[in-house]
Amino acid sequence: MEDYAGYTLVASILPILAFLDLGYGGAATNWATEYANTPEPTARLLLQGRLRRALGAAYVPTGVGLILAIASSIWAAMADMRWLHIPISVLSITFAVYVLSIPFAIISKLLIGTGRTTLWIIIQMIQPLVALSFVAITIWLRVTYMIPVAPAVSLLVMCIVGAKFGLASVRIPLSGVLGNRDKRVNNEALFSSAWPMMIILIANPLALSSDRLLLSWFGNTDDVASYSLGAQLFSPALALLSATGLALWPHFAKKRFVGDDTRPWRMVFIFTMVAAIGSAALIALSPWLADLISGNKIQLALVLVICLASSLVVQSAQLPMGMYMMHGSGPKFQAALLVFMFVLKFFLSFVWIPTIGPGGPALATAVAITVCQLVPGAYLIARRVA
């Protein structure tokens, strides 16, 4: 159980590091959307210049991350330190592999902006396959202590493939984004479109992907293991809904471009109902699925499953609204709302973990999203402020 808890805890840390791309991943999606809906022949040159500048800026945290990873790995090897039965040197290697994926992750977001979300979903299927293959190889080579590196390796491979198809979607060669920076592109204006995304990428993963960290601080290993198993039941449904929700980003942008500024209420209803039906099915099947997956070693409390279900429903309702607000001042509003959500989520988790147990962070997520995103977001959309 300790190994399972440690592995899932490491895997949950990676999404929290998403802010290292400085927000240019989300900005690249908006730039690609603008390019796809702009008939002007100079649109590709503008996109190419923006990507060059974005990658140039993202190389800084990438380089710093690699240096820190190498330094901590050397230090850990000399000190022979361990954490949750995982050598710190392995954590350093995991971080190093992750930061290598940052430039490719930025470019891969071009697929979403150009409306090729189906291809992006297919490419995402590479990640679990690579992770499973990596785990199988480490077991075969009897170096199982390297298993925690699997999520980072699979993410890197997925991003490289996504970057290849992303550049093809905008007909820009790799050399076109690796050359000299385009001096006609204003750095300040470029970052002004990226900083809201950077805040979103800091606050959102911290709020949604930090549950295991919170449980490791305020709970125990059993709490982390049971939460991880419960989240494993709901994660495929959330991943599917999230991937489908991404398709709404260019969809809303295209409608807005042709003058059809339809509000997202119909999609909010559909996503909420699908999530509610799926959650009800998972609640009913959770005892059997938990026994099947864990081999009768981990039991899931009903309150934990209900809290995870409520979190799934609320996140699904927020998805269409978030995609609708990805234009103009929308990202800035979302960034501000996420900061409040982040604070409320941590406060509620701190209060509820001792009383509710491992379900505390999931329930805190549901309440925080409702109070700090759903309600104010619906008000802003109704008033056409965002």
Side-chain angles (χ1 to χ4, degrees):
M1 184 177 293
E2 288 81 5
D3 293 336
Y4 175 70
Y7 173 82
T8 55
L9 187 58
V10 171
S12 71
I13 292 175
L14 296 183
I16 298 176
L17 302 174
F19 69 91
L20 290 177
D21 75 350
L22 303 179
Y24 285 118
T29 303
N30 279 333
W31 299 335
T33 301
E34 180 182 329
Y35 159 80
N37 294 311
T38 302
E40 297 179 7
T42 58
R44 186 180 297 110
L45 293 176
L46 176 61
L47 175 60
Q48 182 172 306
R50 285 172 166 174
L51 288 173
R52 283 180 177 177
R53 287 286 186 177
L55 290 177
Y59 286 143
V60 175
T62 301
V64 172
L66 285 174
I67 293 173
L68 291 176
I70 294 172
S72 61
S73 181
I74 294 173
W75 170 72
M78 294 175 62
D80 192 27
M81 298 183 66
R82 289 176 175 268
W83 172 71
L84 271 178
H85 302 282
I86 300 174
I88 295 182
S89 57
V90 173
L91 296 179
S92 301
I93 295 172
T94 302
F95 180 61
V97 174
Y98 173 81
V99 297
L100 285 174
S101 68
I102 292 174
F104 300 104
I106 293 175
I107 300 174
S108 67
K109 297 302 188 297
L110 297 174
L111 284 172
I112 301 171
T114 53
R116 291 167 171 81
T117 49
T118 300
L119 178 58
W120 177 237
I121 293 172
I122 294 173
I123 291 174
Q124 285 182 305
M125 295 179 183
I126 293 175
Q127 195 169 358
L129 294 176
V130 173
L132 183 62
S133 300
F134 186 90
V135 170
I137 292 173
T138 55
I139 293 175
W140 180 59
L141 295 176
R142 297 183 179 180
V143 288
T144 53
Y145 56 86
M146 291 296 293
I147 287 178
V149 186
V153 171
S154 60
L155 177 66
L156 175 61
V157 174
M158 183 195 74
C159 289
I160 290 175
V161 176
K164 177 183 182 302
F165 285 98
L167 289 174
S169 70
V170 293
R171 293 177 291 172
I172 295 177
L174 181 61
S175 59
V177 296
L178 296 179
N180 296 325
R181 300 180 184 181
D182 191 343
K183 296 181 179 180
R184 294 172 296 179
V185 179
N186 186 285
N187 271 340
E188 184 176 350
L190 198 67
F191 190 67
S192 67
S193 63
W195 74 259
M197 298 296 180
M198 182 175 67
I199 294 178
I200 292 172
L201 288 173
I202 294 174
N204 203 43
L206 278 176
L208 301 180
S209 302
S210 59
D211 292 353
R212 294 173 182 85
L213 285 175
L214 291 170
L215 287 170
S216 69
W217 294 338
F218 304 118
N220 52 50
T221 303
D222 291 342
D223 290 337
V224 176
S226 60
Y227 177 90
S228 297
L229 180 60
Q232 190 175 343
L233 300 181
F234 286 86
S235 59
L238 181 59
L240 178 60
L241 287 167
S242 298
T244 307
L246 282 176
L248 297 177
W249 191 337
H251 170 76
F252 287 136
K254 185 174 182 179
K255 280 186 170 294
R256 194 172 291 113
F257 179 77
V258 299
D260 181 12
D261 193 12
T262 305
R263 296 176 189 178
W265 308 131
R266 180 172 174 270
M267 288 298 177
V268 171
F269 176 78
I270 292 174
F271 272 65
T272 303
M273 292 306 299
V274 170
I277 295 171
S279 296
L282 287 172
I283 291 173
L285 295 173
S286 60
W288 176 75
L289 291 173
D291 291 342
L292 178 65
I293 296 173
S294 68
N296 297 318
K297 293 182 179 180
I298 302 176
Q299 301 296 322
L300 294 181
L302 179 60
V303 64
L304 168 61
V305 180
I306 293 176
C307 290
L308 287 168
S310 64
S311 177
L312 173 64
V313 173
V314 172
Q315 289 184 65
S316 300
Q318 167 60 21
L319 270 171
M321 292 175 56
M323 296 300 101
Y324 179 85
M325 297 172 65
M326 282 298 185
H327 79 289
S329 59
K332 296 179 182 179
F333 279 117
Q334 292 200 69
L337 294 173
L338 274 168
V339 172
F340 289 109
M341 189 200 84
F342 170 79
V343 175
L344 181 59
K345 155 68 185 283
F346 270 67
F347 172 76
L348 293 177
S349 297
F350 175 77
V351 172
W352 286 340
I353 287 176
T355 56
I356 301 178
L363 182 59
T365 297
V367 173
I369 291 178
T370 301
V371 174
C372 299
Q373 285 188 283
L374 274 179
V375 174
Y379 173 79
L380 292 172
I381 292 173
R383 294 289 300 272
R384 295 187 182 273
V385 176

